[in-house]
Amino acid sequence: MSQDTATYDAAAEFQDRASISQKAQALLHKYPWLSSTMVLVVASIIFSFFNENFLTPSNFSLILQQVAIVGAVAAGQTLIILTAGIDLSCGAIAVFSSMTMAKLVQGTPGEGEPVGIAIWLAFPAGLLVGMLGGAINGFLVTKVKLPPFIVTLGTFNVFLALTLTLTKGTVPSIEMDPFLLTLGHYVNLGPFRVTTGVLFMFAMYMVLAFVLRYTSWGRHVYAVGDDIDAARLAGISVNRVLMSVYMVAGLTFALAAWIVIGRVTVASPNTGGDLNLDAITAVVIGGTSLFGGRGTIFGSLIGAIIVGVFRNGLTLAGVDLYYQLLAIGLLIIFAVSVDQWIRKARK
Amino acid sequence: MSKKPILQAVGLTKSYGRVVALDGSDLELFPGEVLAVVGDNGAGKSTMIKCLSGAEVADEGQIIVDGQQVSFKRPQDGRHAGIETVYQTLAVAPALDIASNLFLGREMRKKGPLGSVFRMIDSSGMRKAAKEHIAALGIGTIQNITQAVETLSGGQRQAVAVARAAAFGQKVIILDEPTAALGVRESRQVLKLIESLRDRGMPVILISHNMPQVFEVADRIQVQRLGKRAAVVTPKSHSMNDVVAIMTGAMTVDKKDQALTSVR
């Protein structure tokens, strides 16, 4: 025993002598959201030098409104990426859900008066469609055992096609139900003036963060992404966890669709086509590993805000749109490099 | 000598496609003993313990736990019957901490409405219990229970896996090649763990390639050959050379010379 203790002391001493980069690595390993938070703070400070309007409550309110939709989709996407999966169909599910809600409320215009159904039926139906979309993805991943990338690439096109079939490619121009526009209202919070959609997105993050951190289900989501065989042998019903993750994610995409309707005040088949890549970008920049099992949900919120801050800050600094894309691209590569560097340290 | 087996397998058969991994193999584990299962690669050792733990479903044969016939479909079924298994691949989630790993798949809930309504897990309670389990096995080198498992050495990880089995195993603990990936000092630690399990009266099945280790801790040694039980001997009745000879088919042991009943 004394020998063991001696060895341990030696190891501890060795750890004390670890270089600064090793210490940084260990710190980032423990708190994966730290690097993205630092990027956010540093970027905000730099942008504030270029334009005095950048670091103002009204500008940040604007940024938050711009990232509310992507942020909400990224919340669901994070769950899936934590299980080492990916969902390319998230945007398509969101658009399909929003079209379902709008179409059901408005009815189909044709001969005579369009007959819509009540909002208290149409709205849950839209959410159900989102969950159902997720369930289809989950079924194909767990039962048919296809890779999530392929599954969701397929369903992405399927849901898009369904949406276009439903609308015949047109934007319904009838006035929207007031309930569906709820998340477009403005509220004042001190100097900030944001939409209820922003607050709703924050609430989604709170709920998911609680569930991930404080319930068995949350632990199991991490365990499944970390090592699926280990999780199975540890007695976790792996398929049930995966299925529930895809369905909960589908629900968040449908809720994101509600934010979309509030923001653009119509349900358009054309909004949200690039939501999938934007959401994945937010998750990755937020420090969640594409290999699963590592990351936090709040990281994705920060990731979404970083993308918004970069777009907004570069615009205010008078930088060309093309260079903004370049900056986001470099940011993604930087984020994934950091993730790889952290993982290598612990092999 | 008339002890009843706590775990018994009769005529277990399992094939993967055309490959017959288990060909009507038997096994008896008696209370309080360490039964080693040895055999060449492909003799069906791992397949047998997978059937016994519920990770695989046997095509034919019976599994009897404590006199009751059972049918395991999933790893959970084995655990419910009181059989805990430490797999060769360790089955720990590397990014989760030690306490989370110990309770993975059966987390403790908080008391009261926080646990029943909000389904909150009792993190501090699990940490405390994990500390006690680790201490009970005399694993002194693990200091911080909130360390991620991936920051541990191979021996420490193995210790976590064994501690989990010991904490929840009610009837039987199965260890599949627990020392295969370990160094000398770490192997010693694991052997000590096995002995402390036996001292607590816990029956253990030990799958191993390492003859000296098997002869050190086992009460009886079951030799598998070509998916069947070739013989059951004791470290006293037969030498390592004999066991290797039985494994390769160079030697057969008459039924009356075998140790088919408890020797403890």
Side-chain angles (χ1 to χ4, degrees), chain B residues 193-264:
Chain B
L193 284 179
I194 296 174
E195 277 165 3
S196 77
L197 286 177
R198 175 174 51 196
D199 294 343
R200 287 161 51 177
M202 180 65 71
V204 177
I205 297 180
L206 169 70
I207 317 286
S208 183
H209 266 112
N210 190 316
M211 284 302 161
Q213 287 176 11
V214 164
F215 271 73
E216 189 181 327
V217 294
D219 297 306
R220 298 188 304 135
I221 303 167
Q222 166 157 345
V223 188
Q224 288 288 121
R225 176 171 155 70
L226 304 176
K228 285 192 176 73
R229 176 162 76 179
V232 184
V233 299
T234 69
K236 292 185 186 89
S237 66
H238 289 74
S239 69
M240 285 189 211
N241 283 338
D242 293 339
V243 169
V244 172
I246 302 168
M247 260 165 66
T248 55
M251 177 175 158
T252 52
V253 185
D254 205 73
K255 266 256 159 37
K256 67 174 166 40
D257 297 329
Q258 293 190 23
L260 291 169
T261 52
S262 175
V263 296
R264 279 183 79 81

Side-chain angles (χ1 to χ4, degrees), chain B:
Chain B
M1 284 297 140
S2 61
K3 274 187 190 168
K4 279 203 179 129
I6 182 116
L7 175 66
Q8 188 178 12
V10 185
L12 283 188
T13 303
K14 173 82 187 170
S15 31
Y16 299 96
R18 281 202 204 145
V19 181
V20 181
L22 264 187
D23 187 10
S25 188
D26 299 336
L27 179 142
E28 290 102 23
L29 176 71
F30 292 96
E33 73 170 355
V34 176
L35 173 71
V37 178
V38 301
D40 209 351
N41 290 332
K45 307 185 296 284
S46 285
T47 309
M48 178 146 71
I49 65 118
K50 276 181 185 157
C51 291
L52 292 176
S53 67
E56 297 270 6
V57 182
D59 301 331
E60 277 173 49
Q62 296 171 333
I63 297 169
I64 299 152
V65 180
D66 229 354
Q68 299 254 309
Q69 192 174 333
V70 292
S71 79
F72 296 154
K73 302 270 188 295
R74 304 170 301 163
Q76 288 97 309
D77 297 340
R79 296 172 125 197
H80 286 309
I83 300 171
E84 282 293 321
T85 310
V86 178
Y87 297 94
Q88 209 170 348
T89 47
L90 277 181
V92 287
L96 294 183
D97 65 40
I98 295 168
S100 303
N101 260 295
L102 267 180
F103 287 92
L104 191 59
R106 47 194 151 198
E107 288 79 5
M108 285 158 58
R109 289 245 187 90
K110 284 202 165 158
K111 289 190 179 67
L114 283 180
S116 54
V117 180
F118 294 101
R119 317 224 137 216
M120 277 180 83
I121 49 179
D122 183 5
S123 297
S124 60
M126 288 197 290
R127 252 178 255 140
K128 198 161 155 263
K131 229 176 229 169
E132 281 162 14
H133 287 307
I134 298 270
L137 285 171
I139 312 163
T141 56
I142 293 176
Q143 295 196 331
N144 187 355
I145 214 82
T146 57
Q147 249 177 303
V149 164
E150 63 197 335
T151 63
L152 300 176
S153 72
Q156 289 173 325
R157 282 187 208 198
Q158 192 65 261
V160 170
V162 174
R164 175 166 71 186
F168 294 101
Q170 268 136 35
K171 288 182 180 150
V172 177
I173 290 175
I174 303 176
L175 302 164
D176 187 6
E177 301 273 7
T179 59
L182 302 185
V184 175
R185 202 172 68 90
E186 297 182 320
S187 294
R188 286 247 67 80
Q189 256 182 7
V190 173
L191 290 182
K192 258 193 216 156
L193 284 179
I194 296 174
E195 277 165 3
S196 77
L197 286 177
R198 175 174 51 196
D199 294 343
R200 287 161 51 177
M202 180 65 71
V204 177
I205 297 180
L206 169 70
I207 317 286
S208 183
H209 266 112
N210 190 316
M211 284 302 161
Q213 287 176 11
V214 164
F215 271 73
E216 189 181 327
V217 294
D219 297 306
R220 298 188 304 135
I221 303 167
Q222 166 157 345
V223 188
Q224 288 288 121
R225 176 171 155 70
L226 304 176
K228 285 192 176 73
R229 176 162 76 179
V232 184
V233 299
T234 69
K236 292 185 186 89
S237 66
H238 289 74
S239 69
M240 285 189 211
N241 283 338
D242 293 339
V243 169
V244 172
I246 302 168
M247 260 165 66
T248 55
M251 177 175 158
T252 52
V253 185
D254 205 73
K255 266 256 159 37
K256 67 174 166 40
D257 297 329
Q258 293 190 23
L260 291 169
T261 52
S262 175
V263 296
R264 279 183 79 81

